[in-house]
Amino acid sequence: MQKRIIILNQKGGVGKTTTSVNLSASLALLGKKVLLIDIDPQGNSTSSFGIDKRKVNPNIYDVLLEREKIENTILPTGIENLFLAPSNISLAGARIELVNLSNREKRLKDAISGLLSYDYIFIDPPPSLGILTLNGLLASFSIIIPIMISYYALEGLVELLEMIKRVKKSFNPSFSIEGVLITMFNSRTRLSYEIFEEVKKHFKDKLYKTIIPNNIRLAEAPSYGKPAILYDKASKGALSYFELAKEIIEQNI
């Protein structure tokens, strides 16, 4: 059964795009057919594969405005089994243009309804709860919430959890939390362990066993246009996302 998962925390800098890119790549390398949809106007998922986001035309902007079918935007990433529906700054205009259009919050859902050949479809939205993110939420079956280990780790999560409740109530009763992922974990600080325990109290069995460490290779990889698993497959960051991919596959057997 196909999984459609949005990777979202409206707090920026928590590893949302890093997770989208590296989890997608790891699942593809494990033999799953994966589509990553970039609906963030910053286009960071797009550039993480060495794709010039300035030149992607058509892209997801054209899809949301119903000028183009999503099938005609999908690009290869250079990794077998992994494909990308790209984005760029033109998508910023869609926030305004969609406001007065019919069915504005369901356009991505409608666009991907026929994409049945993928095992996993991941959606990388902007770090906000606007119309683009709402499109991503309604197009998904579940959500992965990345949480950076910091003093403000749980800040803003109440708002996100309320949004999830509204999506369940108004649009998709079966929408669920796929999992909660700890990112940027520093094993040398006591604070990291204290915050980890706090997150564990809140999310219990939804918390992934895999923890993503604070790793320089994860930060470097996008500037080389590669996921970490290709940039430095022996790095702790790359290995942790590979372990996460295996954990997710095992959960869905």
Side-chain angles (χ1 to χ4, degrees):
M1 180 180 163
Q2 185 184 80
K3 305 285 286 186
R4 296 182 189 170
I5 303 171
I6 188 169
I7 299 176
L8 173 64
N9 186 328
Q10 81 272 27
K11 187 174 174 61
V14 299
K16 174 184 63 69
T17 295
T18 298
T19 298
S20 299
V21 169
N22 289 288
L23 178 55
S24 296
S26 296
L27 284 164
L29 290 170
L30 285 165
K32 301 298 180 181
K33 188 176 181 183
V34 182
L35 173 65
L36 174 57
I37 302 176
D38 189 352
I39 58 168
D40 188 340
Q42 294 180 79
N44 290 336
S45 276
T46 300
S47 59
S48 290
F49 293 99
I51 296 167
D52 187 344
K53 57 190 175 186
R54 296 168 298 179
K55 296 179 180 178
V56 287
N57 186 36
N59 60 59
I60 208 71
Y61 166 75
D62 303 287
V63 174
L64 292 178
L65 292 183
E66 296 181 346
R67 295 173 181 170
E68 191 64 79
K69 290 183 177 180
I70 194 168
E71 292 89 336
N72 297 331
T73 73
I74 294 172
L75 302 173
T77 62
I79 298 173
E80 189 177 0
N81 298 318
L82 178 57
F83 301 87
L84 175 78
S87 168
N88 63 23
I89 195 62
S90 65
L91 189 58
R95 290 170 171 158
I96 299 168
E97 293 173 74
L98 284 170
V99 169
N100 296 316
L101 299 180
S102 62
N103 214 25
R104 58 185 179 270
E105 71 281 342
K106 293 183 179 178
R107 291 191 166 215
L108 184 60
K109 180 182 179 180
D110 292 343
I112 68 174
S113 61
L115 300 180
L116 303 177
S117 67
Y118 296 94
D119 298 306
Y120 291 88
I121 294 178
F122 289 105
I123 298 172
D124 181 20
S128 64
L129 297 179
I131 188 65
L132 296 177
T133 299
L134 185 57
N135 263 269
L137 283 163
L138 268 56
S140 304
F141 301 151
S142 60
I143 182 172
I144 289 175
I145 305 172
I147 297 180
M148 180 181 70
I149 287 293
S150 74
Y151 184 76
Y152 300 105
L154 299 176
E155 189 179 70
L157 278 181
V158 171
E159 189 180 357
L160 177 58
L161 294 175
E162 281 300 317
M163 172 70 91
I164 292 169
K165 283 182 185 177
R166 289 200 296 274
V167 169
K168 283 175 68 74
K169 183 178 178 181
S170 303
F171 301 103
N172 183 2
S174 62
F175 188 83
S176 64
I177 296 177
E178 185 76 22
V180 176
L181 178 66
I182 296 293
T183 64
M184 303 183 195
F185 187 85
N186 186 344
S187 60
R188 292 173 294 182
T189 69
R190 199 173 95 186
L191 179 64
S192 288
Y193 291 97
E194 289 174 354
I195 294 169
F196 173 78
E197 289 302 322
E198 197 65 29
V199 173
K200 197 172 180 180
K201 278 183 202 171
H202 276 77
F203 293 103
K204 300 181 176 66
D205 60 333
K206 290 295 183 181
L207 188 64
Y208 287 117
K209 294 174 185 173
T210 305
I211 294 173
I212 309 300
N214 195 0
N215 180 249
I216 188 65
R217 295 302 195 199
L218 287 174
E220 290 174 347
S223 64
Y224 289 87
K226 296 178 180 180
I229 199 77
L230 295 187
Y231 175 60
D232 184 353
K233 65 180 181 181
S235 67
K236 288 182 179 179
L239 292 171
S240 64
Y241 275 110
F242 204 69
E243 285 302 310
L244 176 64
K246 290 194 286 187
E247 183 177 348
I248 287 172
I249 289 172
E250 286 170 9
Q251 283 182 350
N252 295 309
I253 290 174

